[in-house]
Amino acid sequence: MKLVETTTKPSQTGEEGRAWQALANCLGVDPDLFFPERGASTREAKEVCRACVVREECLEYAIVNGEKFGIWGGMSERERRRVRRARGLTRVREPLKAVADTSGA
């Protein structure tokens, strides 16, 4: 499996950073396909992602935003966790503003 190396832009989490969603293969597909029950197959969801023109943007969005559930960019949470570890990232746990407010500045 090839790890995707993309640069993270600050707008990745904003409304304008999600314009790629309008081009996604999964648009109009039942969301339950991408959020299977524990132990259920992810094969069909990954097939939808495989030929998607915005697969990398979707995957990057999920990695940057710490999406914990579902198939994003053709990867499960376990697979995304490996990418985050390889990049030295941790899951987003709280907004940056809350972190800045506790700094005492």
Side-chain angles (χ1 to χ4, degrees):
M1 174 178 14
K2 177 185 169 193
L3 296 181
V4 177
E5 295 281 338
T6 59
T7 57
T8 304
K9 299 177 179 126
S11 64
Q12 191 81 35
T13 58
E15 189 81 19
E16 66 279 358
R18 292 182 278 162
W20 54 266
Q21 291 177 341
L23 302 172
N25 281 359
C26 60
L27 193 63
V29 175
D30 183 1
D32 289 342
L33 181 67
F34 299 92
F35 296 91
E37 295 293 322
R38 182 178 217 116
S41 175
T42 60
R43 185 177 50 80
E44 287 183 54
K46 289 180 178 183
E47 279 295 317
V48 172
C49 297
R50 184 167 287 127
C52 186
V53 297
V54 294
R55 186 184 59 79
E56 289 184 13
E57 290 89 338
C58 179
L59 177 59
E60 187 65 19
Y61 176 85
I63 290 170
V64 168
N65 291 288
E67 288 291 345
K68 188 174 179 181
F69 302 104
I71 304 301
W72 290 80
M75 288 190 175
S76 66
E77 164 58 13
R78 179 178 290 169
E79 293 164 327
R80 292 191 305 273
R81 200 172 329 142
R82 281 188 226 129
V83 173
R84 277 196 299 274
R85 272 198 301 262
R87 291 183 183 182
L89 298 175
T90 56
R91 181 178 290 124
V92 176
R93 288 194 171 88
E94 56 187 89
L96 292 177
K97 183 177 186 248
V99 173
D101 290 345
T102 61
S103 66

